[in-house]
Amino acid sequence: MIKKTRIPVPAGISRRRLLQAGSAMALGSFLPLSVPVSSATGVSNKLITRPIPASGESIPIIGMGSWLTFDVGFNQHARAGRVKVLEAFFERGGGMIDSSPMYGSSPQVIGYCLQQIANQPNLFSASKVWIVGKEPGQQQIRSSLQKWQLPRFDLVQIHNLLDWETHLETLQQAKAAGQIRYIGVTTSHGRRHQELQQVLRTGEFDFVQFTYNILDREAENELLPLAQELGVAVIINRPFQRGALFDRVQGKPLPAIAAEAGCQNWAQYFLKFIVSHPAVTCAIPATSQVAHMNENMGAAYGALPDPAMRKRMAREFGRLI
């Protein structure tokens, strides 16, 4: 691996704000975050959605993760900030919010925020079960529902494959009873992709969640094609490699192809690469800042790269790092 030289960031300037400035120079102007993609590219500013294969229901291609970012406990100032983040998410058309019992106070904070926001037309609630045993699993799902303060979840996923056969039976019963709408399974570990493939072939799942980004592309070989073959909706976690992708391009302007793809910043470059894969239903970047949420949601508008452009985007990114 080539060692990267990091450019120091001046005091008071965020990492992504510095990247945005470099991106704007590459595009020839400093574009406000609130400007629709169509203003800069001339393409449609309609929200892009993808159908869930199991039902045909469409959801926005950009959702929101909550690991670490919403784990703020009872800090009222931090909670107020997360309400603003979610408001921006819904204002830009966001739908899926993903959380887990292993994410600390995130479920409670999400529930608090949702109670403060009247307008949430696209809300698609996605939780997880992450425990061993049938009764503990049932109790954990009930507890999560109470924390979110919702009558039911849209999606409950078996987190990191833990005791998946036991929980799959529970979730199938809950779905049949109308207590949840969809069933999923997840992993955030690339080393478990082979196991995940076996689980997908064995069980009947509506959704699968795993890691995929412009650098971690192992899933292109077997997992993404398999999900597409089986008709399973795909949620992508860690789209920014926990922020490491921004570190790799720190101080570097967007390549010229970004303008062709309708990308105003690196966040949109990374996200549009992901969601333009035909097997991907939704990507769930996490953030605690309104400005970053607006950048992320910008990837849900405008044109998506075609296969040839995706290859060029990956190639240009590879040259930079």
Side-chain angles (χ1 to χ4, degrees), residues 128-147:
K128 303 184 182 78
V129 57
W130 189 65
I131 199 168
V132 174
K134 181 175 182 178
E135 291 187 8
Q138 293 172 328
Q139 176 55 41
Q140 189 176 71
I141 294 169
R142 288 194 294 268
S143 176
S144 293
L145 198 58
Q146 292 171 353
K147 292 172 182 176

Side-chain angles (χ1 to χ4, degrees), residues 257-311:
I257 192 176
E260 298 178 47
C263 301
Q264 300 179 26
N265 47 62
W266 278 110
Q268 292 169 17
Y269 192 94
F270 297 142
L271 289 172
K272 283 203 171 193
F273 175 84
I274 292 169
V275 297
S276 60
H277 192 290
V280 173
T281 309
C282 180
I284 50 171
T287 184
S288 61
Q289 298 187 41
V290 172
H292 294 177
M293 178 60 75
N294 282 320
E295 291 178 357
N296 294 345
M297 289 307 301
Y301 293 86
L304 288 180
D306 60 21
M309 185 177 289
R310 294 183 80 252
K311 290 181 180 179

Side-chain angles (χ1 to χ4, degrees), residues 66-74 79 99-110 130 140 143-144 147-148 159:
S66 62
W67 183 62
L68 296 180
T69 54
F70 273 65
D71 183 15
V72 299
F74 291 95
R79 283 188 168 207
S99 193
S100 170
M102 72 175 290
Y103 295 173
S105 63
S106 291
Q108 296 100 314
V109 174
I110 290 170
W130 189 65
Q140 189 176 71
S143 176
S144 293
K147 292 172 182 176
W148 280 63
H159 196 70

Side-chain angles (χ1 to χ4, degrees), residues 87-140:
E87 285 177 337
F89 177 66
F90 288 124
E91 285 172 3
R92 298 297 301 275
M96 179 179 289
I97 300 174
D98 177 88
S99 193
S100 170
M102 72 175 290
Y103 295 173
S105 63
S106 291
Q108 296 100 314
V109 174
I110 290 170
Y112 169 83
C113 292
L114 291 176
Q115 292 300 306
Q116 314 306 309
I117 301 172
N119 187 24
Q120 38 187 284
N122 293 332
L123 174 62
F124 188 98
S125 53
S127 186
K128 303 184 182 78
V129 57
W130 189 65
I131 199 168
V132 174
K134 181 175 182 178
E135 291 187 8
Q138 293 172 328
Q139 176 55 41
Q140 189 176 71

Side-chain angles (χ1 to χ4, degrees), residues 51-57 59 96 124 154-157 168 171-172 175-176 180-185 199-200 203-209 227-228 230-235 279 281:
I52 300 168
S55 66
E57 174 188 1
I59 59 173
M96 179 179 289
F124 188 98
D154 292 301
L155 166 65
V156 176
Q157 305 155 93
L168 178 58
L171 294 179
Q172 287 173 333
K175 183 180 178 180
I180 62 174
R181 299 176 60 220
Y182 298 103
I183 299 169
V185 62
V199 170
L200 287 176
E204 294 183 5
F205 294 95
D206 305 307
F207 279 83
V208 62
Q209 180 181 146
Q228 197 168 19
L230 296 176
V232 178
V234 174
I235 303 169
T281 309

